[in-house]
Amino acid sequence: MFITFEGGEGSGKTSIIDQVYNYFNKTKQVLVSREPGGSFIAEAIRDLVLNPEYKGMAFQTEALLYAAARAQHLDDVLIPAIKEKDLVLCDRYIDSSFAYQGYARGLGMEYIEKINDYAMNHLPEITFYIDVDPEIGMARIQSRDKYDRLDQEALDFHKSVRQGYLEIAQKYPKRIIVIDGHKTLQEVIDEIISILESKL
Ligand code: TYD
């Protein structure tokens, strides 16, 4: 099964994925990866697209770089892992492009669908969207000492990202499961594990 995790800044995604991995890794073959990045060349694209020095990056360039990183990551890591492993867990995937570039940057969902048609032909079976109010999410990441190019966007941008996620979740209700990320980390992890247990 190919499972992706989505959410805005400070949604706790990374800790959640770590715990889900620890739980299933005892009995199953599990692979964890992330986007943008996840393989040597895709990580190089990540360094480029998230570098705060490149303030003037056009939104189209940004969207195309995420799609390019996705194509490389699929080829290097995800497609082989989907064939070989029981569970493939990925931190962010196509829905990040819908929410950030399609919705918040205003490029439109159709634009993202089109460019990703060239980049990928694998949709996840399940996507967990960890929904957190951006004011709470941004406060959670205040203590970080490094902010990438997208973290640095204003609160309104992150509110728009959330709106984007909620719209795609409505559009793909079978695939995308919205999880209330205001609960404790443990509650969120338990909920996700029990959903996955019931599907496996
Ligand atoms: P990352 O450091 O992985 O952040 P997080 O901990 O929030 O997942 O940074 C990834 C950033 O890239 C994040 O701000 C979301 C953004 N992104 C897009 O805008 N579009 C995409 O398609 C992907 C995969 C990520």
Side-chain angles (χ1 to χ4, degrees), residues 13-72:
K13 247 179 332 88
T14 310
S15 322
I16 293 165
I17 296 169
D18 276 356
Q19 295 300 316
V20 172
Y21 171 81
N22 289 341
Y23 180 87
F24 285 104
N25 192 42
K26 291 180 196 133
T27 54
K28 302 203 177 320
Q29 295 269 343
V30 191
L31 176 118
V32 174
S33 199
R34 70 163 180 186
E35 287 206 353
S39 78
F40 184 63
I41 297 170
E43 288 287 330
I45 302 174
R46 176 190 176 92
D47 291 342
L48 180 70
V49 76
L50 294 180
N51 188 334
E53 275 182 33
Y54 302 136
K55 290 224 184 305
M57 189 181 289
F59 296 162
Q60 290 89 336
T61 309
E62 184 182 288
L64 288 161
L65 285 174
Y66 281 116
R70 184 160 304 126
Q72 187 70 38

Side-chain angles (χ1 to χ4, degrees), residues 9 13 46 50 66 70 92 96-97 100-101 148 150:
E9 317 305 316
K13 247 179 332 88
R46 176 190 176 92
L50 294 180
Y66 281 116
R70 184 160 304 126
R92 296 194 181 281
S96 286
S97 291
Y100 285 77
Q101 284 70 49
D148 67 40
L150 278 92

